[in-house]
Amino acid sequence: MKCSWTLDKDSTGILTVEVEGEVWEKAQKKTFNKLKAGLNVKGFRKGQIPDQMAKKYIGKDHICAVAVDEVANEALQEGIKEFKLDLVTRPSLDVKEIDEKKAVLEFTCTVSPEVKLGDYEAIRVKKEPVEVTQEEIDAEVKRIQDRYADWVVREEEDPAQIGDQVTIDFVGEKDGVPFEGGAGNDYPLVLGSNTFIPGFEDQLVGVKAGDEKDIEVTFPEDYQAADLAGQAVIFKVKVHDVKYKELPEVNDELIKNMKRDGVETVEKFIEESKKELQARKEQQAEEKFTNDVIAQAVDGAIVDIPPVMIDNEVNRMYQQFEQRMQSSGFTAQQFLEATHQSVEDIKNQMRNEAASRVKTTLVLEAIANARDIKISESEIEEQYKLMADMYNMPAEQIKAIIVPENIEYDLKQQKAVDYLKETAQSE
């Protein structure tokens, strides 16, 4: 086979493979035998037709056309191997020339694009130091108080304040007509919780039990119900009662109510809360540091991403979106109907993020190649073991699902990130 490769724009090019000689002859013979076996000719048993007669019925052109299927994959693999092509999607095939002597096949291939790395070794990022403040500790204590607080009914003459809970009936009207989904009875609303649209809760500050009030608000322009987005409406509200939150005293008895192993005193709760806050803030600082380092490496690189790679990532992200909807008890279709959007609307919203993800992956891959990062078999086996423990599955079952090449690829990406982080912290 003779192969040639011409790269065009968008990392797409033409791989031309000329198939001739013994390979092409065998392909035609194999094809002819298959076609002949299925041929029905009056006066002959199926499969027993003389070759010369069968060729007249089938035709040379048809034999050649079908024989392409016998050699196409081998021809493609030959070209991929010769020019070390890294395909990112299935190529299309065009038969440019074909007869009994040879077949000239043209594969339109999209390959992984060239990445021009910036000076990633010059990246310097300082990890932000973390400290747990007294205010944060106090907030944790307040959270426990809120959990075990009691709602106490205010006296009838006492007005509602921010933080109070008002029990209300309400009916929303647009141009004097009630609209769907705008009514509720005995609804407990905490003022300041931002549960309702902006302006609604503020206008209930100062109401008392038994009050009736018209509340005028305007729905946000991006409100999910298109017929209400940006529209002015009136809610007719009746207040049943007003309650304030009575916080319990902070003492050991309160902490014991949590029924948390090893934490039975205020002192111990504060000690454990500080540890947890410290660990959480350190993790957040580490994530921010990692993201900042990667972002600088990606921003400094130049890469012309083929549109098909972004399309593929968008489709993958949409599949993940569908899975998240299902896990929350809804379907993607229900979400689309509720938000008055189409599948394409959601996918278009994902495109920028998809492009960013693809570029990040390509840049990390290029850094791994530039650093000649290698992954050993023992590292791959260790990863399989970790995944088996994580998912509580036998390692062999994990191997049947995820091939070693994918594990190797992910580990190379992680080592590229580790190298960037180590370099970014050096003096």
Side-chain angles (χ1 to χ4, degrees):
M1 295 185 188
K2 300 176 183 177
C3 305
S4 65
W5 166 247
T6 304
L7 183 63
D8 200 357
K9 61 181 181 179
D10 292 332
S11 297
T12 298
I14 300 296
L15 172 65
T16 304
V17 183
E18 185 176 313
V19 185
E20 57 184 355
E22 185 179 357
V23 173
W24 184 230
E25 290 172 4
K26 285 184 177 180
Q28 292 176 79
K29 185 175 182 179
K30 185 176 180 180
T31 299
F32 169 70
N33 289 333
K34 285 183 179 180
L35 295 173
K36 175 187 171 183
L39 195 61
N40 287 312
V41 177
K42 189 175 180 179
F44 293 91
R45 288 166 54 186
K46 194 172 183 179
Q48 299 300 314
I49 307 167
D51 287 356
Q52 291 302 318
M53 181 178 292
K55 288 180 180 179
K56 289 181 180 179
Y57 277 97
I58 299 171
K60 296 179 181 179
D61 291 344
H62 185 58
I63 293 172
C64 290
V66 178
V68 168
D69 293 337
E70 294 290 337
V71 297
N73 187 63
E74 182 182 352
L76 175 62
Q77 295 305 317
E78 185 76 17
I80 290 174
K81 181 179 179 181
E82 180 173 339
F83 296 104
K84 297 180 174 59
L85 303 181
D86 182 12
L87 303 189
V88 298
T89 189
R90 186 178 181 84
S92 60
L93 169 62
D94 184 21
V95 180
K96 300 303 293 183
E97 184 180 339
I98 189 169
D99 55 32
E100 291 180 286
K101 293 183 178 181
K102 67 179 178 180
V104 179
L105 311 181
E106 280 192 358
F107 297 91
T108 301
C109 304
T110 302
V111 298
S112 188
E114 178 188 3
V115 178
K116 297 180 180 178
L117 294 171
D119 189 4
Y120 60 89
E121 293 185 333
I123 294 173
R124 295 293 181 271
V125 177
K126 292 192 68 175
K127 188 189 301 184
E128 296 179 359
V130 298
E131 179 184 0
V132 177
T133 65
Q134 186 60 47
E135 289 78 6
E136 290 170 324
I137 294 294
D138 292 342
E140 288 297 300
V141 173
K142 177 67 163 49
R143 184 174 59 82
I144 300 304
Q145 285 183 288
D146 284 337
R147 184 193 302 179
Y148 294 100
D150 293 322
W151 287 107
V152 180
V153 177
R154 285 192 180 277
E155 299 294 333
E156 290 187 0
E157 66 274 11
D158 288 347
Q161 305 172 19
I162 290 293
D164 284 356
Q165 182 186 86
V166 294
T167 305
I168 60 174
D169 295 340
F170 60 91
V171 177
E173 297 180 354
K174 179 175 176 291
D175 300 328
V177 179
F179 53 84
E180 184 178 356
N185 292 317
D186 293 324
Y187 188 94
L189 174 64
V190 177
L191 303 185
S193 64
N194 298 318
T195 303
F196 280 28
I197 62 175
F200 186 99
E201 295 170 26
D202 292 341
Q203 294 181 57
L204 287 175
V205 174
V207 299
K208 302 174 184 177
D211 283 356
E212 295 186 10
K213 185 172 184 177
D214 288 353
I215 294 179
E216 299 181 14
V217 291
T218 300
F219 279 94
E221 293 290 343
D222 60 352
Y223 191 67
Q224 61 186 22
D227 57 332
L228 293 174
Q231 298 298 305
V233 299
I234 294 176
F235 282 93
K236 294 184 178 299
V237 178
K238 181 177 181 178
V239 181
H240 292 298
D241 59 42
V242 178
K243 298 176 182 177
Y244 67 92
K245 186 179 287 187
E246 187 173 71
L247 299 177
E249 182 182 350
V250 179
N251 54 30
D252 293 349
E253 194 63 32
L254 173 65
I255 300 303
K256 289 178 182 177
N257 287 337
M258 297 170 56
K259 294 181 172 56
R260 183 174 166 185
D261 290 342
V263 181
E264 295 186 344
T265 65
V266 174
E267 181 182 3
K268 188 64 174 176
F269 173 77
I270 290 175
E271 178 187 336
E272 292 300 312
S273 295
K274 188 171 184 179
K275 288 180 183 177
E276 292 171 1
L277 285 168
Q278 182 73 22
R280 191 185 312 153
K281 295 182 78 170
E282 286 177 355
Q283 181 181 0
Q284 292 170 346
E286 181 68 22
E287 289 175 355
K288 184 180 184 304
F289 167 69
T290 301
N291 291 336
D292 288 347
V293 170
I294 293 174
Q296 289 195 34
V298 172
D299 289 344
I302 299 174
V303 52
D304 185 15
I305 304 173
V308 67
M309 294 188 75
I310 299 175
D311 292 340
N312 290 342
E313 182 63 18
V314 167
N315 290 334
R316 192 180 71 84
M317 291 172 64
Y318 188 81
Q319 289 177 349
Q320 292 176 337
F321 161 73
E322 289 182 314
Q323 292 168 358
R324 288 196 303 272
M325 287 293 102
Q326 290 177 352
S327 64
S328 62
F330 298 94
T331 65
Q333 186 59 37
Q334 288 173 324
F335 177 85
L336 295 175
E337 291 173 356
T339 58
H340 303 281
Q341 297 183 90
S342 67
V343 173
E344 285 307 309
D345 289 334
I346 300 296
K347 287 187 173 183
N348 285 335
Q349 294 167 26
M350 295 174 171
R351 292 198 72 80
N352 286 341
E353 174 64 20
S356 176
R357 290 187 183 187
V358 172
K359 185 177 180 182
T360 298
T361 299
L362 290 170
V363 169
L364 291 177
E365 181 181 1
I367 291 173
N369 291 335
R371 300 299 308 167
D372 195 24
I373 292 175
K374 305 293 185 185
I375 304 298
S376 66
E377 290 186 10
S378 62
E379 288 175 304
I380 294 175
E381 285 300 318
E382 178 62 24
Q383 191 64 22
Y384 274 127
K385 184 177 182 302
L386 291 173
M387 295 175 71
D389 293 341
M390 181 186 302
Y391 297 111
N392 195 26
M393 294 171 60
E396 292 305 316
Q397 193 172 344
I398 297 288
K399 291 179 181 180
I401 301 171
I402 306 175
V403 297
E405 289 78 11
N406 288 351
I407 299 291
E408 180 183 19
Y409 184 84
D410 290 343
L411 289 175
K412 279 186 176 182
Q413 293 254 314
Q414 185 55 56
K415 283 195 174 185
V417 172
D418 292 341
Y419 174 78
L420 287 174
K421 290 167 63 175
E422 181 182 347
T423 304
Q425 293 183 93
S426 61
E427 295 298 330

